[in-house]
Amino acid sequence: MPCLAAGIQRLLRLLSRALGTLMIAAVRLYQLTLSPLLGPRCRYWPSCSSYTLEALQVHGPLKGGLMALRRISRCHPGCEGGIDPVPGGPSEQLCREDPELDEQFRCRTDEPAPDER
């Protein structure tokens, strides 16, 4: 029985890796073909396609795919946009290291907070 469970687990890992590779290939194809024709339209940094690639690489095809769908659904003309890094990814680390950004990844202001005046 343990051999069967190990075999099933190995198969699921292989399928997950194959699905992730396929999804990454689809996003890269979009970035190389369609995205240059559309121009920069994303309201966030990193762009939605870069976010999707990073989410898939960091979190895998299921969680990363859901994160990407949620992000893409928020990217529309009525949205304010801004900095939205992938949690646990390299873009989040870059934002944390940037001295010009606060904890919510917004630009720091030189004005003191209202309660500090």
Side-chain angles (χ1 to χ4, degrees):
M1 210 53 149
C3 187
L4 178 62
I8 291 173
Q9 190 175 21
R10 206 172 310 124
L11 179 64
L12 288 175
R13 246 190 328 242
L14 180 68
L15 288 173
S16 176
R17 193 173 304 132
L19 179 61
T21 302
L22 235 145
M23 292 169 79
I24 288 171
V27 174
R28 289 296 298 148
L29 182 65
Y30 163 79
Q31 286 180 328
L32 295 172
T33 58
L34 192 56
S35 182
L37 298 175
L38 296 175
R41 295 184 182 274
C42 191
R43 300 183 176 285
Y44 289 101
W45 181 90
S47 69
C48 291
S49 60
S50 294
Y51 182 96
T52 300
L53 281 179
E54 189 176 330
L56 290 170
Q57 291 166 346
V58 172
H59 297 288
L62 297 179
K63 184 176 180 183
L66 287 173
M67 291 171 70
L69 284 174
R70 199 175 117 238
R71 164 69 177 274
I72 291 167
S73 69
R74 287 185 288 140
C75 190
H76 55 79
C79 170
E80 186 177 319
I83 298 175
D84 181 28
V86 175
S91 60
E92 181 183 43
Q93 187 62 33
L94 278 173
C95 290
R96 292 203 185 285
E97 293 171 356
D98 191 337
E100 295 180 7
L101 299 176
D102 65 11
E103 296 78 31
Q104 284 79 38
F105 309 122
R106 294 189 199 113
C107 291
R108 293 185 191 273
T109 60
D110 292 335
E111 296 178 17
D115 58 338
E116 295 177 10
R117 290 181 188 172

